[in-house]
Amino acid sequence: MSDLVKEVRIGIIGMGRQGKIHSRNIVSRIEGARLVCVSDIYIDSAKEFVASLDRSIDVYEDYRDIIKREDVDAVIIASPTTTHEQVITDAAIANKDIFCEKPIAPDLATTDRLIELVEKTGVKFMVGFNRRFDPTFKRVKDLVVNGNVGEPQILLITSRDPAPPHLEYLKASGGIFFDTTIHDFDMARYLVDDEVTEVYATGNVLVDPRVKEFGDLDTTMVTLKFKNGAIASINNSRQAVYGYDQRVEVFGSKGSAQAFNETPNTVMLFDEDGVHSDKPLYFNEQRYPESFVNEVSAFVECIRNNTAPPVAGIDGKIPVLMAMAAKKSFDENRPITIDSIQAEVKGGNTR
């Protein structure tokens, strides 16, 4: 698109949970953008949802009807990962700017090809790691960048879901390192502002024994080493009975920046039985609503101002490398370097 675009006309591909979140936000909260059309294979459900927003929005069953429209400047891809390769390819060839939910593709060879394609065509390409755009975590990042904590030395990330997803989802999720920890891998790079060199992972099945049946974990600990010498610890669980547990700390040579769980209110009751407060906000839609607005706003602004997207293709690729290293580390019970994973990928051994 040309410089100084006044309005970005968007089509959304995939109207599941994430597609609906983006649709609501574009219609009601994101300046400089207009939702022109959406697509989903379950077209009746999509039509019903869109009618509750704006009846002027067109609804298609085939995403290619969006791609071929001349009045669509950009697409948001919120369809299943297995569809990403073809949709990204078609959109890039059609010169549509692209926002794609993670992961870019189910394997690194395809990811590399798609990154090369979008670079060749010159379209904007942004990956959806929404937690970077959460105001609380962004404040921690700013404190690190501004030197308030000094040189980062230790990063602690706690990310625990309030309840596990259904088993059918888990079977197709790719495993906890690729489905859940991948957000934390991205957050680690983002907060420390450095690249990870080594990964060590351990874990177990402590929530639902059925998870063992398809070789996954529901409780994990991952240790990271960074090029600058900093170290990180990430802990994940599929079930925290008290709610969605999302905390980070960056400890450095001058101090510590910590982000705690957010609750519906800040009231605390002090009585003879103890100190009481509300549970953390339940899940990602409740905890991270502003991040979903902010990430798409950033995408729109990079198109309008002809600037680089803040989360590029390489930012989508590296957390996958880290997840691969974590999986291999767990399987072999030893630390794994990112360089060794990259060498395996180049050699065609991606197991």
Side-chain angles (χ1 to χ4, degrees), residues 223-261:
T223 301
L224 309 175
K225 290 184 179 179
F226 293 85
K227 285 183 179 179
N228 63 9
I231 56 177
S233 175
I234 300 169
N235 71 84
N236 295 135
S237 173
R238 289 287 191 184
Q239 180 171 276
V241 296
Y242 51 85
Y244 195 35
D245 194 352
Q246 300 286 288
R247 292 172 282 149
V248 302
E249 177 188 3
V250 180
F251 173 84
S253 57
K254 292 183 179 180
S256 170
Q258 301 181 38
F260 299 98
N261 284 320

Side-chain angles (χ1 to χ4, degrees), residues 63 104 113 139 156:
Y63 77 89
I104 297 172
R113 187 187 70 77
R139 176 59 175 156
L156 303 176

Side-chain angles (χ1 to χ4, degrees), residues 64-224:
R64 289 171 292 190
D65 291 324
I66 291 178
I67 299 293
K68 68 185 182 184
R69 284 183 61 152
E70 293 185 1
D71 63 342
V72 170
D73 305 309
V75 295
I76 292 177
I77 301 174
S79 53
T81 301
T82 52
T83 69
H84 287 187
E85 178 180 7
Q86 192 60 56
V87 178
I88 292 171
T89 299
D90 292 344
I93 292 173
N95 199 36
K96 309 296 185 186
D97 293 318
I98 301 166
F99 178 100
C100 183
E101 292 293 346
K102 66 84 183 170
I104 297 172
D107 63 85
L108 282 171
T110 303
T111 298
D112 284 338
R113 187 187 70 77
L114 293 172
I115 292 173
E116 182 180 353
L117 174 64
V118 296
E119 290 176 350
K120 182 179 179 180
T121 57
V123 299
K124 308 287 187 189
F125 183 71
M126 181 169 164
V127 181
F129 277 118
N130 66 290
R131 294 182 192 179
R132 291 184 178 221
F133 299 89
D134 173 65
T136 298
F137 292 164
K138 177 65 165 58
R139 176 59 175 156
V140 174
K141 169 72 170 182
D142 290 343
L143 290 171
V144 174
V145 170
N146 293 336
N148 297 84
V149 302
E151 291 297 320
Q153 297 171 345
I154 297 174
L155 169 67
L156 303 176
I157 298 178
T158 292
S159 183
R160 304 168 186 162
D161 293 346
H166 56 78
L167 287 178
E168 291 306 312
Y169 173 87
L170 290 176
K171 289 178 182 178
S173 70
I176 193 169
F177 297 125
F178 293 88
D179 178 54
T180 297
T181 324
I182 196 164
H183 284 285
D184 305 309
F185 290 147
D186 177 68
M187 187 55 54
R189 296 180 62 237
Y190 171 69
L191 290 176
V192 177
D193 196 24
D194 196 32
E195 297 299 345
V196 169
T197 59
E198 185 178 279
V199 178
Y200 176 71
T202 187
N204 212 332
V205 177
L206 303 175
V207 176
D208 186 339
R210 293 175 296 177
V211 171
K212 285 184 178 179
E213 296 175 7
F214 41 93
D216 199 4
L217 305 165
D218 57 31
T219 309
T220 61
M221 292 280 291
V222 180
T223 301
L224 309 175

Side-chain angles (χ1 to χ4, degrees), residues 6 21 56 58 82 98 149 161 223 300 324-325 332:
K6 291 184 178 181
I21 290 173
S56 70
D58 293 324
T82 52
I98 301 166
V149 302
D161 293 346
T223 301
V300 169
M324 293 174 66
E332 300 182 5

Side-chain angles (χ1 to χ4, degrees), residues 27 35-37 46-59:
V27 168
L35 184 58
V36 175
C37 51
K47 284 181 176 179
E48 181 179 356
F49 174 78
V50 166
S52 70
L53 297 179
D54 184 344
R55 292 185 179 277
S56 70
I57 298 169
D58 293 324
V59 183

